[in-house]
Amino acid sequence: MITATGRFVRNLHLIGSNIMASIKEESSNKVFGGFQKVYSHESKELGCQMKFAVYIPPQAESGPVPVIYWLSGLTCTEQNFITKAGAQQYASKHGFLVVAPDTSPRDCKIPGEDDSWDFGTGAGFYVDATEEKWKTNYRMFSYVTKELPSLVAANFKVESDKAGIMGHSMGGHGALICALKNPGQYKSVSAFAPICNPVNCPWGVKAFSGYLGEGNKDAWKDYDACELAKKYNGPPLEIMVDQGKADNFLTQGQLLPDNLVSACAEGGVPIIMRMQEGYDHSYYFMATFMADHFDHHAKFLKEFCMMVKMISHKGCHEVVGVIISFLHSHDDGYSTLSTGTDQVIWQKLSLC
């Protein structure tokens, strides 16, 4: 005899099985109390099989946790970040689930997709292509901002309304445009050595010409962090960027961080731009400052919102006093923000 409770449990099991059937676990390794896993699935946006990595922190055993999306750079797969960045220890500390997708569609049988290291395979540039040859499969922007979050929400214990995004180089560009083009979807954003102004650098011109059309430069601006920052009109968003001064791509004019600082000033977007002496473009550079980036995200995804909830019953003046104390206790560059302290206070309150 099957009771009502039994039917409920059985149906719940079937529902869970159907959801999980949409992704396939490829690997699993325990690290810092959590699990680093890799999954594969058939992507509707990209029309091919894709892999993505997920670090599941130990806190997820007790309930939903905030989520951070990591976007990698040119030639990378989902493996580079999870094997080189040392991020799992910080994700475990803060209780963040971290999702790292591949950087492009794979094996789509498009002529020329494997001809170049900085275009096609491994170089999706996080845009939705409009050129006929590429538009069916090269839709990395929609994959990262729509399909992947839906997949993550369906299969993992996450607080989808507490999401951050970060990345490196091409992935830094991707993180910035995803946050700026989707106001409110990401509460926090940071980048290592991002391609800040792709419409004005060789990598970006090549990619945008191929994916978006050489004569369609107005469309290019929709995927350029500098252009987006100038006209940003969404919820408060504080950008953090680390850039190595010994980065050869910096001296070659591929990254253009000064342009991003100017654009943020014009658009009133707070930015912390840290130029790091002696560091290059490698994962050694990223691993050195990875803890700082997770701390940055924690202020918006975890620490600050928890504090606001605890003091929400207090009067206005008490709240402001606590917030100011909080800001002063985090000496990580707030003095460089383009907005005043009082504006930062109320901007941060609105995030919660």
Side-chain angles (χ1 to χ4, degrees), residues 27-306:
S27 65
S28 178
N29 299 93
K30 189 167 186 177
V31 55
F32 290 103
F35 286 90
Q36 181 61 66
K37 296 176 179 284
V38 174
Y39 296 90
S40 63
H41 75 111
E42 294 296 327
S43 169
K44 295 180 179 179
E45 284 287 356
L46 306 180
C48 67
Q49 186 180 88
M50 291 291 287
K51 288 184 179 180
F52 64 95
V54 177
Y55 177 72
I56 304 173
Q59 293 87 340
E61 294 181 6
S62 302
V65 295
V67 56
I68 295 178
Y69 293 88
W70 168 271
L71 305 183
S72 290
L74 291 165
T75 75
C76 291
T77 69
E78 79 289 340
Q79 287 292 320
N80 298 70
F81 175 72
I82 65 174
T83 57
K84 296 180 179 181
Q88 292 91 345
Q89 58 185 310
Y90 310 117
S92 176
K93 171 188 173 183
H94 290 293
F96 293 150
L97 186 133
V98 181
V99 181
D102 201 350
T103 55
S104 77
R106 301 273 170 177
D107 301 317
C108 294
K109 313 303 180 187
I110 302 173
E113 67 179 338
D114 297 321
D115 290 353
S116 177
W117 68 274
D118 56 0
F119 184 83
T121 300
F125 263 85
Y126 304 102
V127 303
D128 283 350
T130 54
E131 288 294 281
E132 189 64 33
K133 183 177 179 179
W134 307 99
K135 68 179 185 180
T136 299
N137 302 103
Y138 277 71
R139 297 179 49 79
M140 285 298 293
F141 181 78
S142 287
Y143 176 71
V144 167
T145 61
K146 297 176 183 177
E147 183 175 6
L148 190 58
S150 295
L151 202 63
V152 168
N155 289 280
F156 303 96
K157 295 178 180 179
V158 295
E159 297 177 282
S160 296
D161 60 336
K162 293 182 181 178
I165 192 164
M166 60 196 301
H168 169 236
S169 194
M170 177 186 73
H173 143 77
L176 293 173
I177 65 168
C178 286
L180 291 167
K181 282 174 67 68
N182 294 281
Q185 182 170 341
Y186 305 98
K187 299 295 190 295
S188 57
V189 59
S190 72
F192 292 90
I195 302 173
C196 296
N197 193 193
V199 302
N200 287 316
C201 77
W203 277 339
V205 170
K206 179 177 180 178
F208 288 4
S209 295
Y211 294 135
L212 305 175
E214 189 172 355
N216 194 16
K217 293 189 177 181
D218 284 340
W220 294 15
K221 295 180 180 180
D222 288 336
Y223 292 102
D224 185 291
C226 288
E227 297 296 331
L228 294 169
K230 292 175 185 177
K231 62 181 182 180
Y232 181 73
N233 190 30
L237 187 70
E238 180 183 285
I239 297 171
M240 178 178 178
V241 175
D242 270 312
Q243 172 62 61
K245 287 187 176 181
D247 189 330
N248 60 318
F249 297 121
L250 175 66
T251 58
Q252 292 172 16
Q254 296 282 19
L255 307 177
L256 306 174
D258 291 343
N259 292 8
L260 181 61
V261 172
S262 297
C264 286
E266 182 177 334
V269 178
I271 182 169
I272 302 168
M273 177 67 71
R274 308 195 309 183
M275 302 299 294
Q276 304 291 2
E277 191 70 44
Y279 287 92
D280 57 19
H281 201 71
S282 71
Y283 268 90
Y284 296 113
F285 157 59
M286 286 183 278
T288 302
F289 301 105
M290 189 62 66
D292 293 348
H293 283 247
F294 273 84
D295 287 345
H296 171 79
H297 288 272
K299 286 185 294 190
F300 299 95
L301 301 180
K302 184 182 173 188
E303 295 175 7
F304 192 88
C305 293
M306 288 176 63

